[in-house]
Amino acid sequence: MKIKNAFQIFFKNYSLVLKVALTQLIVLALFVGLGSLIVNDMAVDVETGLTQFGIIDRLNAVFAEITSGQFEAERFNGLLAELRQSFYDWGAEVDFFYQKLALSGFAVFLFAMLVTYCMNFYAVPFSQNVNDFMSSSAKIPFLWRFCKSFGTSAKTQLIYIVFPFLLDVFILFGVIGLYSSALSLMGLWGLAAAAVIMAVMFSLRKTLFAFWLPAMVINQMPPLASMREGFKTLADGFGRVFWRILAVTLFTYGLITVILFGVVNLATVIIALFLMLHNELFIYTVSMVEYYRQSNFGYYIDKMKSVEAAE
């Protein structure tokens, strides 16, 4: 498969992509608002702790050092040491701090699971819409697909937070731990290495489950059966799918880095989130096209143009 086919399908359905991405931003904004209310009622007084012990100021200093263009490893490690000391000082002032912090962390984890569960409801209907277009050049209203597949999406997302989500959490904290224990000594190069390692690991995870939704919507299979079918179909083309997903991920990460290194404000953060959502939707499109290729199916890339099965 030439990746340009996935690009063509993606942008031929850009009205769908834009609709889903904007909806996701709105849903995310609602959860951020809800999350801020929950943080205020946590066992640990987060707001007071972050301001009273200078943690916010030190976090800003660390980020400013990264984006200043005049990065110095020794100064950066000094800022990290000051940040760690602020956390220790905070802990020393609060009775049962670490027990309360663990309770608050568990509450945040449960909230993150809820957000992930709700935010990914678009995945099944979006994949169905892409399959409709590729199989018959049809464009079915997304809202109709969303409502019709609501029950399937609910079951699918329960499985998602058990497998892919927990893998994502493991990868995230694993890379953070690796950076804190070793890579931070390399300065800016260590930060870049951590970002690349995270991109590779997330791409591996996305590749592992890349054919799950295509198998579900094309073969009309239930979630667990389609996951097993996806694994079997992926076996012969894992490397090819991985490299395509990794290329897309690295390109998106690079673009976001350029944007955020220029200036960090609400607008650039929203743009970065918007790009991340586009990245996810494009990976779903690439996965669908690769599944068609692996299964030797022909497909439409335009109402007037199709790709033969052998292509």
Side-chain angles (χ1 to χ4, degrees):
M1 187 277 288
K2 294 180 179 178
I3 201 167
K4 70 177 184 180
N5 292 345
F7 273 111
Q8 286 182 266
I9 293 168
F10 185 77
F11 285 106
K12 284 292 179 182
N13 292 273
Y14 192 70
S15 61
L16 168 66
V17 172
L18 191 60
K19 190 183 303 180
V20 173
L22 288 173
T23 302
Q24 290 299 94
L25 279 179
I26 293 170
V27 172
L28 182 60
L30 292 174
F31 273 114
V32 168
L34 179 60
S36 65
L37 295 177
I38 293 174
V39 165
N40 287 335
D41 293 327
M42 277 186 176
V44 175
D45 188 350
V46 176
E47 184 176 358
T48 300
L50 293 180
T51 54
Q52 181 179 339
F53 295 94
I55 294 173
I56 289 292
D57 293 335
R58 286 177 171 81
L59 282 171
N60 288 334
V62 168
F63 194 79
E65 178 66 23
I66 294 171
T67 58
S68 66
Q70 299 177 339
F71 185 89
E72 290 184 10
E74 185 176 348
R75 184 169 61 218
F76 180 70
N77 289 329
L79 291 172
L80 288 180
E82 291 177 5
L83 180 61
R84 284 193 294 268
Q85 187 59 48
S86 295
F87 275 105
Y88 296 149
D89 293 343
W90 184 16
E93 286 291 320
V94 179
D95 293 333
F96 305 107
F97 174 78
Y98 293 104
Q99 294 92 326
K100 292 178 179 179
L101 189 63
L103 179 62
S104 298
F106 183 67
V108 169
F109 178 74
L110 291 179
F111 184 71
M113 291 183 71
L114 175 63
V115 172
T116 302
Y117 180 80
C118 295
M119 287 286 291
N120 284 323
F121 256 76
Y122 72 90
V124 172
F126 179 81
S127 297
Q128 288 174 330
N129 274 73
V130 173
N131 178 54
D132 290 335
F133 181 82
M134 291 178 63
S135 61
S136 62
S137 74
K139 292 190 176 182
I140 308 299
F142 179 75
L143 182 59
W144 183 85
R145 275 294 187 198
F146 183 88
C147 295
K148 187 177 180 182
S149 64
F150 192 87
T152 302
S153 295
K155 295 174 186 176
T156 302
Q157 294 316 309
L158 281 175
I159 298 170
Y160 182 92
I161 61 175
V162 173
F163 293 108
F165 173 74
L166 292 181
L167 277 176
D168 286 345
V169 172
F170 178 79
I171 291 169
L172 178 64
F173 282 97
V175 174
I176 291 174
L178 177 64
Y179 176 78
S180 300
S181 60
L183 296 179
S184 61
L185 301 176
M186 298 167 58
L188 188 58
W189 287 108
L191 194 65
V196 171
I197 291 170
M198 188 171 293
V200 170
M201 296 305 295
F202 278 135
S203 296
L204 281 170
R205 200 282 293 161
K206 290 176 188 296
T207 303
L208 183 63
F209 294 94
F211 285 178
W212 179 19
L213 293 184
M216 183 189 304
V217 302
I218 293 172
N219 302 317
Q220 299 294 304
M221 301 175 73
L224 281 175
S226 61
M227 184 183 288
R228 290 193 295 268
E229 179 64 24
F231 290 155
K232 288 193 296 183
T233 307
L234 180 65
D236 292 333
F238 185 92
R240 184 182 66 251
V241 178
F242 167 70
W243 285 114
R244 300 203 188 285
I245 290 177
L246 179 61
V248 172
T249 302
L250 288 175
F251 176 79
T252 305
Y253 281 15
L255 194 56
I256 290 173
T257 301
V258 170
I259 291 171
L260 293 181
F261 263 57
V263 60
V264 179
N265 54 36
L266 181 59
T268 54
V269 170
I270 290 174
I271 291 171
L273 289 172
F274 201 56
L275 288 173
M276 287 300 297
L277 291 171
H278 275 64
N279 176 73
E280 290 296 311
L281 295 171
F282 185 64
I283 287 175
Y284 281 128
T285 307
V286 170
S287 300
M288 186 66 72
V289 175
E290 286 290 349
Y291 187 89
Y292 266 71
R293 178 189 178 180
Q294 193 73 14
S295 303
N296 201 31
F297 296 155
Y299 57 89
Y300 285 91
I301 58 176
D302 193 292
K303 287 189 175 182
M304 302 300 293
K305 183 180 179 181
S306 62
V307 175
E308 297 299 325
E311 219 175 310

